[in-house]
Amino acid sequence: MVGSVMLAVAFLATWTSCYAVTTLHIGVLLPIEKNPRYYTTDVKDTCTMALRDVNISPYILPNHELVMHLNDSKCDVGRTIYQMSDLLQSRKENIVALIGEGCSTVTKPIASATPLWNLPLFNFLSTSPALYNTEAYPHYYPVVPSENGLNPARVAVMKQFRWTKAVILFQPSEHFNLNAKNLRDTMEDSGFETPEFVLLPLNRDYTSVVRQVKESGIRILFGLFYEDIGREIICECLKEGISAPDYVWNFVGWYQFHDWYLDTLNDKQNHSGGCTLEQMETAVHGHLTYDFAHVRRDGDKTVATGKNVTEIATELQTRLKSPPGSSLFDTFRRYSAYGYDCVLAVALSLHKIAEQLNATGGIDRLNNFTYDDDILLKKFHDVITDRTFVFEGLTASTLV
């Protein structure tokens, strides 16, 4: 698993360029078409930039060239499995590593399947806590923190405002179930009263939920749900007087739009059933959201490819035709910088493996990798779980 630490290391090639350049192939499965939640167009551009920067760097895989094979998996399990199978069985060249997918529900079966081909799976989009179980997914390597990583920030806010107890309302899915339980445990471990734990019903009848919230007398609400469910529960609570300024809503921060609680498909009413846009704005006024920093703040920091953060941001702004005056933080939306770091993680892992194999005369094992050879997969695991393997990325100093 990837964690962020404030360490620095320079990756310098330790073997000379006396070999012919060998091409290594990376398979990429991402939801691109009609999936704005993940800003995947930006992510695709960032990954492409990272791949180019790796290939022109004299310090990373100097005797190899990386080629990326991108597939639009559309956040669909069946399509993704088909594309992965086609990618691994129909190509003349073998894939040495995979990146993907975007949705946690799709990533899980892929993470279970890739070891069958002796391949590691890297990821920068899926944040479900379930995927961070290294016993269940020993060859899955995320470069984005788990959703549970936001819970200490939520508790810190509670301490700051001297709140003593909260209601946790969460949507019934593995992603939110695990996140909600971890938030409850984090609150209890930090000395807060046990929070009111409210599972939202599958049938979307929120009568009992609203009654439970109101009868609890608690005014601090943490909502863990997707946008459509969020709009519905906010509206139903509003009808019973659960609204700002008497109540404070706390939401996840990775929704596509900052005003996600408004139904932009209808100018007059929210689709959840009778609340006007003005009422919805009033209900959540003063709400708080929680998300990870999209990019590190030290713009002059040089990353492992040899460029600094500001240089990469400036190029990305040009590629995306960002509005004039866009800040460094605005340029990198939630996953873009993690996409760059994910490509770096793959490249630097391969670089370390190539060093090791070259030292023992076994570089052909990488150059002519076959899916029935488990040595490369074991080496990926050894390299990535080595706590000294650190690189400077766009998001932070990153421990792979």
Side-chain angles (χ1 to χ4, degrees):
M1 178 166 48
V2 173
S4 296
V5 295
M6 293 309 296
L7 297 172
V9 66
F11 286 89
L12 299 175
T14 59
W15 75 93
T16 60
S17 302
C18 58
Y19 301 98
V21 173
T22 300
T23 301
L24 300 177
H25 299 266
I26 302 172
V28 183
L29 302 161
L30 293 176
I32 298 174
E33 185 181 347
K34 297 180 180 179
N35 212 317
R37 179 194 300 277
Y38 299 99
Y39 304 109
T40 316
T41 300
D42 301 4
V43 164
K44 182 174 65 174
D45 286 334
T46 313
C47 289
T48 301
M49 287 172 53
L51 190 75
R52 181 207 59 198
D53 292 346
V54 163
N55 283 332
I56 65 177
S57 171
Y59 307 119
I60 305 174
L61 290 169
N63 303 303
H64 295 84
E65 178 185 25
L66 295 184
V67 173
M68 187 168 63
H69 302 279
L70 180 64
N71 294 267
D72 183 5
S73 50
K74 300 183 185 294
C75 249
D76 179 88
V77 175
R79 180 182 178 88
T80 303
I81 292 176
Y82 171 80
Q83 287 185 334
M84 185 182 74
S85 299
D86 185 64
L87 185 66
L88 301 181
Q89 297 179 21
S90 300
R91 298 197 60 81
K92 179 181 178 181
E93 311 89 353
N94 283 351
I95 302 296
V96 296
L98 283 168
I99 296 175
E101 209 260 351
C103 298
S104 296
T105 52
V106 180
T107 302
K108 287 179 62 181
I110 300 304
S112 297
T114 51
L116 299 176
W117 282 273
N118 288 309
L119 289 173
L121 178 65
F122 291 77
N123 190 282
F124 60 94
L125 289 169
S126 301
T127 60
S128 171
L131 285 163
Y132 293 76
N133 182 339
T134 55
E135 292 185 3
Y137 306 105
H139 302 292
Y140 171 75
Y141 306 113
V143 297
V144 61
S146 161
E147 199 74 27
N148 286 350
L150 293 171
N151 288 337
R154 294 180 171 109
V155 168
V157 168
M158 290 188 67
K159 291 180 179 179
Q160 177 67 29
F161 290 108
R162 298 182 180 179
W163 297 335
T164 59
K165 194 173 182 181
V167 176
I168 302 173
L169 302 101
F170 60 102
Q171 185 171 341
S173 73
E174 183 179 52
H175 180 112
F176 293 119
N177 287 353
L178 293 174
N179 191 208
K181 290 176 182 177
N182 181 266
L183 177 56
R184 178 186 60 190
D185 294 343
T186 304
M187 288 180 178
E188 292 176 345
D189 292 343
S190 300
F192 291 96
E193 296 181 44
T194 300
E196 194 78 15
F197 214 49
V198 183
L199 175 64
L200 301 179
L202 288 170
N203 64 6
R204 298 192 173 189
D205 180 356
Y206 304 115
T207 304
S208 61
V209 168
V210 174
R211 183 187 308 115
Q212 182 179 351
V213 171
K214 194 155 189 175
E215 291 178 353
S216 73
I218 302 172
R219 303 301 180 97
I220 307 304
L221 313 177
F222 284 90
L224 305 177
F225 36 58
Y226 290 117
E227 294 100 310
D228 57 339
I229 299 297
R231 284 190 288 265
E232 292 177 4
I233 189 63
I234 291 168
C235 182
E236 292 305 311
C237 284
L238 172 63
K239 294 175 183 177
E240 295 300 322
I242 301 174
S243 170
D246 297 324
Y247 291 78
V248 180
W249 279 101
N250 295 260
F251 301 118
V252 298
W254 42 259
Y255 297 142
Q256 181 189 356
F257 301 112
H258 72 276
D259 58 350
W260 59 271
Y261 45 85
L262 304 179
D263 186 351
T264 55
L265 298 178
N266 188 322
D267 290 335
K268 295 184 179 180
Q269 290 196 334
N270 184 276
H271 78 270
S272 61
C275 295
T276 66
L277 301 185
E278 291 76 14
Q279 288 174 326
M280 293 291 285
E281 286 185 310
T282 299
V284 300
H285 182 71
H287 70 273
L288 301 175
T289 60
Y290 302 81
D291 199 1
F292 299 106
H294 302 177
V295 66
R296 65 194 306 161
R297 297 293 184 169
D298 44 348
D300 59 347
K301 175 64 69 174
T302 299
V303 303
T305 53
K307 294 183 175 182
N308 68 38
V309 176
T310 300
E311 288 175 324
I312 298 170
T314 300
E315 180 178 353
L316 187 60
Q317 285 175 332
T318 302
R319 278 175 173 256
L320 302 178
K321 299 179 180 179
S322 301
S326 295
S327 70
L328 181 69
F329 187 81
D330 289 337
T331 297
F332 290 101
R333 301 179 186 177
R334 187 172 198 243
Y335 295 107
S336 298
Y338 288 109
Y340 192 99
D341 286 356
C342 189
V343 174
L344 267 183
V346 174
L348 293 172
S349 300
L350 286 167
H351 177 93
K352 192 70 174 179
I353 291 170
E355 279 187 323
Q356 295 173 356
L357 292 173
N358 188 69
T360 59
I363 193 65
D364 283 347
R365 190 152 228 150
L366 174 61
N367 295 344
N368 301 302
F369 169 70
T370 60
Y371 297 133
D372 59 357
D373 185 352
D374 64 352
I375 298 299
L376 195 61
L377 184 64
K378 292 177 181 177
K379 286 192 171 293
F380 264 112
H381 186 268
D382 291 343
V383 166
I384 293 171
T385 55
D386 181 349
R387 307 303 289 179
T388 65
F389 185 52
V390 184
F391 69 89
E392 295 290 352
L394 281 182
T395 56
S397 300
T398 302
L399 174 64
V400 179

